Amino acid sequence: MKFTKIIASTVVAFSLMAPAAWAETRITYKSAKTSSSYYQMGVQIAEAMKAGTDGNVIVTVEESQGSVQNVMEVRARGSDYVFTTPPVLVSLAQGGKAMFEGKGDPAFDEIRALFPIPSLTMHFVMAEKSGVTTFADMEGKTILLGSGSFGAREGEKYLKLFGMEGKVTIADSELSNAVNALKNGQIDGFVTAGSYPAPNVIEAAASTPVKVISLSDEQVAQSKRTRLVIPAGTYAGQDSDIVTTSLPVAAFTTTKMDEDTAYQLTKTYWERQAEMGEAAAWWKGVSADMLSNIKTSIHPGAIKYYKEIGVALSDAHM
């Protein structure tokens, strides 16, 4: 009889302790296509969250077809949803503009930022032997833009903006062929957008001498994008800074997420950033200064952390 009572008491005590011992927060992180660098970043963030919280935060990375889809899904997602998108898309969604015209939803107003991640950075990569050092020098050259991507669309826009429309030959090939085509002399250069250092630019610079073109301050202003400087030494043979443009990207959630979870995600992200940077250099270009690229509200849990570490926030963030 006493033995039975002891067993029963042990079972009750264990059942009371188990929820605390096994408690964990599960997060869905909607990123990009599995082939993209942004999906790889999501995997790194998932690993960092698990390590930084002793397994209390488990992040599952979901493939996405694009940033617009990520924003649209807030209408049907719950408190565990984190997604990446350029901050400008959140502003457009909340204003019912552009691709969100006629698709407005109250859920968009509940989107809140957590932290910036590496920006989509424009790279205009030219073979050194082409002699191209400025946009004007591209006249008569063959350039590969690829198709369907942000980089392809942006590259085409810049060629028009800077007077090169009709003056360059656009190669009919996919961006995945760019490095080999450059190395074999089939093209003079290619345009790509990705977090820096971009893997395909690293590969190109390692296989043949290249020049990544800098933009003038006037050209940056014409582009209406965010100015970004790629530090000297980022790529092989690069002995000076590269001035280019970027499209900021950040991680967002909604007001459905509780303050403690948002705080923990934000705190762990920044505390593990240096470690992530050792594994992938693109994290080294991220700083709290990039919060200025976010023009909409930040989650109260994230705000709590930023205040703790003394980061200045704008009125728009509150």
Side-chain angles (χ1 to χ4, degrees), residues 21-52:
W22 293 347
E24 65 181 21
T25 300
R26 291 193 170 271
I27 299 295
T28 297
Y29 185 94
K30 191 84 171 182
S31 181
K33 292 183 179 180
T34 53
S35 58
S36 77
S37 59
Y38 283 91
Y39 189 89
Q40 295 175 42
M41 290 177 206
V43 172
Q44 287 181 292
I45 287 175
E47 293 169 348
M49 291 298 169
K50 184 177 181 180

Side-chain angles (χ1 to χ4, degrees), residues 3 15 23 28 31 62 71 87-88 100 106 109-110 181 184 236-237 244 248 265 285 287 311 313-314 317:
F3 180 76
S15 66
T28 297
S31 181
E62 263 189 23
V71 174
V88 66
F100 298 100
D109 294 331
E110 304 307 315
N184 296 331
T244 187
L265 290 174
S287 71
V311 171
L313 301 175
S314 71
H317 292 152

Side-chain angles (χ1 to χ4, degrees), residues 216-232:
S216 67
D217 289 340
E218 182 182 355
Q219 288 172 329
V220 171
Q222 281 182 275
S223 75
K224 297 182 179 179
R225 294 295 186 192
T226 302
R227 185 179 189 271
L228 185 144
V229 176
I230 301 174

Side-chain angles (χ1 to χ4, degrees), residues 190-213:
F190 66 92
V191 180
T192 186
S195 51
Y196 82 85
N200 54 352
V201 182
I202 291 174
E203 185 182 356
S207 60
T208 188
V210 301
K211 171 76 173 178
V212 182
I213 304 302

Side-chain angles (χ1 to χ4, degrees), residues 76-95:
R77 295 285 189 149
S79 62
D80 63 339
Y81 185 53
V82 174
F83 64 98
T84 63
T85 192
V88 66
L89 287 192
V90 174
S91 297
L92 291 174
Q94 293 178 342

Side-chain angles (χ1 to χ4, degrees), residues 38 67 84-87 115-120 247-252 290 294:
Y38 283 91
S67 297
T84 63
T85 192
F115 44 78
I117 64 174
S119 300
L120 273 168
L247 180 63
V249 184
F252 293 84
M290 294 167 71
I294 298 170

